[in-house]
Structure formats: structure tokens, C-alpha cells
Amino acid sequence: METIFSGIQPSGIPTIGNYIGAMKQFVDLQNQYDCYFCIVDEHAITVPQDPIKLRQQIRGLAALYLAVGLDPKKATIFIQSEVSAHAEAAWIIQCNTTIGELERMTQFKDKSQKNGRTGVSAGLLTYPPLMVGDIILYNANLVPVGDDQKQHLELTRDFVERFNKRYGQKNQELLVMPEVKIAEQGGRVMSLQDPTSKMSKSDTNAKGFISMLDEPNVIRKKIKSAVTDSTGIIEYDPENKPGISNLLSIFSAVTGRPVAELVSAYEGKGYGDFKSDLAEAVVDLLEPIQIRYNELLASDELDEILDEGADKARLVANKTLQRMKNAIGLGRKS
Ligand code: TYM
């Protein structure tokens, strides 16, 4: 059976973009793959975090993983910082990656341009090698992510090729080469207020995103006030009509109805009707998830699942880490 690894940062409450681009894929794939789904808390501290909030968000994200339908019998669910191999592997990977490669990452360029090089942590630059480590430690064949992670996956593939060439023995694969998997519909969910930029959980304008824990009336209001255009015609044309096209792709991802079917179902109808049906579809999706989330947060079950997940993850990760150390010549023992 092939292996999947993916992770989400507990840097805020996940949005419907995280759900459509990542979590929904996780649930669909857990039956066919050996899966590892991680709460990547070490990634979250590349920017300042409030310690109390961070702890809450870590547990909250774990509860959401389960509430959307991940089954701990099928998938290993764990917290990154509870498996020390991640930080160790990241160091080895950094030493085999150039600063030039890291400075080319668009996420680093965007954030460091906004805050200046002295205003961002060194971790923001060296964050992609930590992500490379996450993936290779579990020998992942496939990594389901949203479109914004494509460049990091390319870096991972470049690293694997280089490391295997440099340190691998003939005919023996040292690290597994991963493939990226991007959702067909909703790989890049856009902001409701600015449909030319990505929906993000750290957006300062809360109207731009739907949080997975937003109350039904908040969801309805946010969708009602989503930016569209003045033509009033419901059609899929991301270039010229980014607002309505984004709403169509959210509608499609949430209900499983193809965009073309939605376009013909709403022919001749106005944006108002469309938006209120979309809002109900999103509420129908999120309400049961929120109920289950609250039950899980209050249960001991959640911590038991995370303890077990970390134990299972450690076994696999430590083996790969030792293989890397042996190949490089670190330490004394194999
Ligand atoms: P993060 O926490 O920013 O996002 C988690 C996942 O959600 C996807 N996503 C989106 N998909 C569609 N539309 C959007 N608007 C949207 N916003 C976010 C992201 O692409 C991602 O799949 N570096 C990663 C976390 C990570 C990881 C890993 C992922 C760390 N190690 C190893 C895969 C494998 C990140 O910051 O994701």
C-alpha cells in the first residue's frame, strides 16, 4: 500500500479553503493509502504565536481532523513536535539545501518583503526543509495539498534527487520520491472579499474567509457579502469573473455537484438565490462537524488518539532518520 503524508499548521482556525484544498482530500484518500496526518506545530512558530492560544489551536486542529471524518484506525494522526525526528531531519536537510533555493520560495519572498529581512525569523527561511523532513520521514509517495504548496513539493523532489545521488548506494533507494496531489476542484479557494487573492486563515479581514467554526448566521452573512460583479450572470470564468467563479467552485467542492451542472441549474437566476443556496450548503456541511468537534474537545479520546499516533509515527520516522544519519556518516552506530 502506498503512503500519504500531509499537514496543516495550527496557526489559526482552519478555513473552508483548508477543508476543500486539504482535509476533504485526506478523508477521501484514507481508505486507499497508509496515511499520516500531522498537526505541524513547529511550522506555526516561524511567526510569533501566543503560547496559550497555540496549545488550544493544536488540540483544536486535532479535534477537527477527527470531526471531518478522519479515522484513527485508518490514519495516524499526530503532533509534529511530539516526534523529535522532524527537527533533527530538518537540520540535515538544511545542510544539504542552498540559501539561494530557500530565498526563491515565493512564500518567503512575500512575507519578508512585507516585514523586511530583519523583521522575519530565520525559521521562515528554513521552513521548507522542515516540510521536506515531514514528507520524507514517512516515505510518502503522495502529498495531498492545496495549490500554494506546489513550490515546496518541487523543492522536496529536488532534495530527494540530490540526497539520493549524493549518499545513496547503487540500486538502493535511500529516500522515497513523493508526488504532489492537488484537489481537482478547489485547489486554490480565493478570498470572499478579494477573489484575486487566496483565502487565508491569517487574513486580517474576517469577512474574507469562512472559518470552519463560524456560526451558521456568520457564514450566511459572509457569503451574502462576498464580492461578485455587476453582470448578474452565473458563469465560470475565473479570469473575468473571479468572484462568482470562486463561489461556484466552493459550491461544487462542498456538494460534489460539477460546476457545469450548477451553472445550468442557476441559469436565469440571480446572485442572491445562488448565494443563499450556497450558504445553506456550507452550513449543512459545517454544522455536524462543529457538533462533533465540541464533543471531541471535551473527551479523553482525543488525547489517547494523539498519544497513540505519536508512538506510531516515531517508529517510522526514527528509522528513516537513522538511515539518513548512516548514509551521511553521523555518529558511530547504525
Ligand atoms: P497551511 O497550514 O497553510 O494549509 C494547510 C493546507 O490547506 C491548503 N490551503 C488551501 N487550499 C485551497 N485553498 C486555500 N485558500 C488554501 N489555503 C490553504 C494548503 O495548501 C495546505 O495543503 N506548509 C504547509 C503545512 C505543511 C505540510 C507539510 C503540508 C507542513 N509540512 C508536509 C504537506 C506536507 C502549510 O503551511 O499549510
Side-chain angles (χ1 to χ4, degrees):
M1 196 186 261
E2 293 207 309
T3 303
I4 278 186
F5 180 95
S6 197
I8 298 181
Q9 296 195 39
S11 51
I13 299 165
T15 67
I16 193 147
N18 296 123
Y19 175 77
I20 294 171
M23 285 182 179
K24 186 173 176 291
Q25 293 204 75
F26 300 174
V27 178
D28 295 341
L29 294 164
Q30 66 178 338
N31 296 315
Q32 305 142 47
Y33 293 87
D34 185 17
C35 291
Y36 293 83
F37 296 122
C38 188
I39 293 119
V40 289
D41 55 348
E42 288 168 335
H43 279 88
I45 61 165
T46 52
V47 296
Q49 299 287 345
D50 175 88
I52 294 172
K53 260 201 192 155
L54 181 60
R55 282 254 158 104
Q56 286 168 349
Q57 283 164 196
I58 290 168
R59 226 171 153 269
L61 179 54
L64 263 184
Y65 270 173
L66 297 168
V68 297
L70 288 182
D71 178 351
K73 289 194 198 81
K74 294 179 186 157
T76 304
I77 297 165
F78 70 102
I79 298 169
Q80 185 184 33
S81 67
E82 295 181 1
V83 179
S84 58
H86 290 256
E88 279 194 68
W91 177 251
I92 297 175
I93 297 159
Q94 280 174 56
C95 293
N96 285 278
T97 303
T98 65
I99 296 176
E101 277 182 290
L102 299 181
E103 283 182 338
R104 276 199 294 278
M105 294 292 113
T106 46
Q107 283 202 347
F108 173 74
K109 280 201 271 189
D110 288 352
K111 288 190 186 164
S112 58
Q113 250 159 29
K114 250 185 243 159
N115 304 298
R117 278 169 70 100
T118 49
V120 294
S121 73
L124 201 65
L125 179 67
T126 57
Y127 146 122
L130 181 63
M131 179 162 165
V132 172
D134 299 341
I135 297 166
I136 60 166
L137 282 173
Y138 300 92
N139 308 308
N141 306 99
L142 208 63
V143 183
V145 283
D147 180 72
D148 60 338
Q149 298 299 317
K150 240 189 198 159
Q151 203 186 21
H152 293 151
L153 260 296
E154 277 159 24
L155 181 87
T156 307
R157 290 174 56 82
D158 288 347
F159 171 80
V160 168
E161 197 187 327
R162 184 165 59 236
F163 197 80
N164 282 343
K165 234 190 226 159
R166 214 176 263 176
Y167 301 110
Q169 302 290 332
K170 253 194 194 152
N171 306 328
Q172 231 178 6
E173 196 176 47
L174 179 57
L175 301 175
V176 173
M177 181 65 80
E179 303 279 338
V180 64
K181 188 173 189 315
I182 301 192
E184 268 165 40
Q185 195 63 59
R188 191 175 186 83
V189 176
M190 308 308 269
S191 158
L192 299 182
Q193 288 300 309
D194 172 11
T196 57
S197 65
K198 194 190 72 169
M199 182 182 284
S200 161
K201 53 183 173 288
S202 51
D203 192 342
T204 46
N205 180 4
K207 281 166 121 187
F209 59 83
I210 295 169
S211 145
M212 289 184 71
L213 300 180
D214 275 344
E215 284 175 12
N217 274 338
V218 174
I219 296 173
R220 290 185 185 106
K221 265 195 207 141
K222 284 184 180 178
I223 292 181
K224 205 170 164 194
S225 67
V227 169
T228 46
D229 55 64
S230 54
T231 67
I233 300 165
I234 295 160
E235 55 189 355
Y236 190 74
D237 178 358
E239 208 149 287
N240 300 310
K241 294 164 71 92
I244 195 71
S245 302
N246 185 40
L247 296 182
L248 270 166
S249 77
I250 295 174
F251 207 154
S252 169
V254 162
T255 58
R257 293 170 68 185
V259 167
E261 184 196 307
L262 289 167
V263 168
S264 58
Y266 284 92
E267 204 186 327
K269 290 190 183 156
Y271 288 163
D273 286 344
F274 177 82
K275 281 179 168 178
S276 64
D277 290 353
L278 169 60
E280 291 321 308
V282 175
V283 168
D284 286 350
L285 167 79
L286 292 183
E287 248 185 344
I289 292 174
Q290 294 174 357
I291 292 169
R292 181 81 185 114
Y293 166 85
N294 285 317
E295 287 166 3
L296 281 157
L297 263 194
S299 74
D300 295 333
E301 189 191 349
L302 181 63
D303 291 303
E304 285 160 18
I305 290 167
L306 291 171
D307 285 344
E308 236 175 74
D311 287 344
K312 276 207 242 164
R314 252 179 239 120
L315 284 179
V316 181
N318 286 340
K319 265 198 202 159
T320 311
L321 179 63
Q322 191 57 49
R323 209 161 64 233
M324 292 171 81
K325 287 183 177 175
N326 293 345
I328 296 176
L330 286 176
R332 287 176 301 154
K333 294 185 198 142
S334 291

